[in-house]
Amino acid sequence: MTHQRILTKSSKDGDIFPDIDYRTSKAVRAGNMVFVEGQTGLTMDGSGFVGEGDPAAQADNAMKNVKVILEAAGARMEDICKITTYVTDASYRDLVYPVLARHMPAVYPCSTGVVVSALGKPYADFEIDVFAVIPSERAAETNSPGS
């Protein structure tokens, strides 16, 4: 099985590691499993940040990104199995979980929530990691996602 790197990029001249050629993917598809890079308020093209000071807006942007990334990998939101959320203040959980629920109605993923002292940028208050599994009956028809 070949791993498919979805939406590859380099950090070179970017916002996080501008002096390092650190190469990553928005997602990696391994068979019918899809691993999504942590998503925040950072826009898909990395040119801006949505929701500085507003964890709910960051979560909304992150989930919009997750949808785009999953679709690029041949998956859907309902294929999400496991999420891990990170917030920089425990009180933010009350703000972000309703947003997540709105983006994943009837999905019921396994979920772990972690409170951390900081994320990649000082203005980021929320991040989510997503793991999805494409059902076998649909995985065969989506074996050639774009990158």
Side-chain angles (χ1 to χ4, degrees), residues 5-32:
R5 311 297 171 170
I6 312 297
L7 303 169
T8 59
K9 64 190 185 311
S10 170
S11 64
K12 192 81 173 144
D13 299 320
D15 189 37
I16 305 256
F17 300 117
D19 299 324
I20 302 170
D21 188 13
Y22 180 66
R23 299 173 189 178
T24 63
S25 302
K26 291 282 187 188
V28 174
R29 180 171 170 179
N32 63 342

Side-chain angles (χ1 to χ4, degrees), residues 31 40 43-44 47 50 56 65-66 69 72 83-84 91 99 104 109 122 135-136:
T40 65
T43 58
M44 276 295 293
S47 66
V50 175
N65 289 351
V66 165
I69 294 165
I83 64 171
T84 303
S91 68
V99 174
M104 297 184 295
S136 300

Side-chain angles (χ1 to χ4, degrees), residues 16-92:
I16 305 256
F17 300 117
D19 299 324
I20 302 170
D21 188 13
Y22 180 66
R23 299 173 189 178
T24 63
S25 302
K26 291 282 187 188
V28 174
R29 180 171 170 179
N32 63 342
M33 297 180 291
V34 181
F35 303 88
V36 178
E37 175 184 61
Q39 294 300 301
T40 65
L42 192 63
T43 58
M44 276 295 293
D45 66 2
S47 66
F49 191 85
V50 175
E52 187 168 345
D54 184 349
Q58 293 174 37
D60 186 59
N61 182 78
M63 294 308 291
K64 289 175 182 173
N65 289 351
V66 165
K67 184 177 190 304
V68 169
I69 294 165
L70 286 176
E71 288 174 353
R76 301 177 186 163
M77 294 295 280
E78 61 263 28
D79 299 334
I80 295 173
C81 295
K82 171 76 168 89
I83 64 171
T84 303
T85 60
Y86 304 89
V87 292
T88 57
D89 186 297
S91 68
Y92 295 162

Side-chain angles (χ1 to χ4, degrees), residues 55 83-97 111-119 124-128:
I83 64 171
T84 303
T85 60
Y86 304 89
V87 292
T88 57
D89 186 297
S91 68
Y92 295 162
R93 295 173 69 169
D94 291 339
L95 302 173
V96 301
Y97 279 98
S111 177
T112 300
V114 182
V115 180
V116 297
S117 61
L119 292 166
D125 299 309
F126 171 85
E127 185 165 341
I128 188 167

